[in-house]
Amino acid sequence: QVHLVESGGALVQAGSSLRLSCAASGLTFGAHTMGWFRRVIGNEREFVASIRWNGENTNYADSVKGRFTISRDNAKNAVYLQLTNLKAEDTAIYFCTASRLYPALRSYEYDHWGQGTQVTVSS
């Protein structure tokens, strides 16, 4: 059974930084594109970032480009999202996801989802 467990969410002030982590188990981690999506209450999940299985290719939503960085450690079955210069509009639940496809910019391209971690940015 596949498990994706996110951690690192917090309440922070605008301009702060956070690092989200996702621990994966039950899947061939190195064969999957890993992604991060986020959802504001009442809205659809939106793509944030994805990283290819080998870590050499990444994609970002325009709204986070230059502020967020996705990375992975295949030896640890982990994927990370570094968030910097946080804004109030970044407040959301952040989800870790796994896909067999790349670049996998749409939620329906993902097979597995974590439960999410809450990031709240106060202005």
Side-chain angles (χ1 to χ4, degrees):
Q1 189 174 1
V2 177
H3 289 284
L4 301 176
V5 181
E6 304 93 338
S7 60
L11 169 62
V12 297
Q13 291 187 335
S16 299
S17 298
L18 276 178
R19 189 193 195 205
L20 306 183
S21 299
C22 173
S25 61
L27 78 169
T28 306
F29 185 78
H32 283 77
T33 292
M34 298 302 295
W36 288 93
F37 280 69
R38 65 186 182 185
R39 186 179 68 207
V40 176
I41 292 177
N43 290 356
E44 296 290 323
R45 283 179 294 199
E46 66 172 1
F47 171 79
V48 176
S50 67
I51 185 167
R52 199 165 189 169
W53 65 271
N54 58 7
E56 295 182 358
N57 302 94
T58 58
N59 291 275
Y60 295 93
D62 287 342
S63 58
V64 306
K65 202 170 293 183
R67 299 189 298 120
F68 292 8
T69 303
I70 188 171
S71 62
R72 66 188 295 161
D73 185 338
N74 286 354
K76 295 182 178 179
N77 283 9
V79 62
Y80 309 99
L81 187 66
Q82 181 71 40
L83 295 70
T84 63
N85 190 22
L86 281 160
K87 305 175 181 180
E89 51 264 41
D90 295 319
T91 295
I93 301 173
Y94 285 73
F95 297 90
C96 173
T97 64
S99 173
R100 286 282 191 174
L101 305 175
Y102 182 79
L105 306 182
R106 302 286 184 261
S107 60
Y108 61 78
E109 295 178 294
Y110 286 84
D111 306 306
H112 308 289
W113 294 81
Q115 293 298 307
T117 187
Q118 176 72 47
V119 173
T120 304
V121 184
S122 62
S123 56

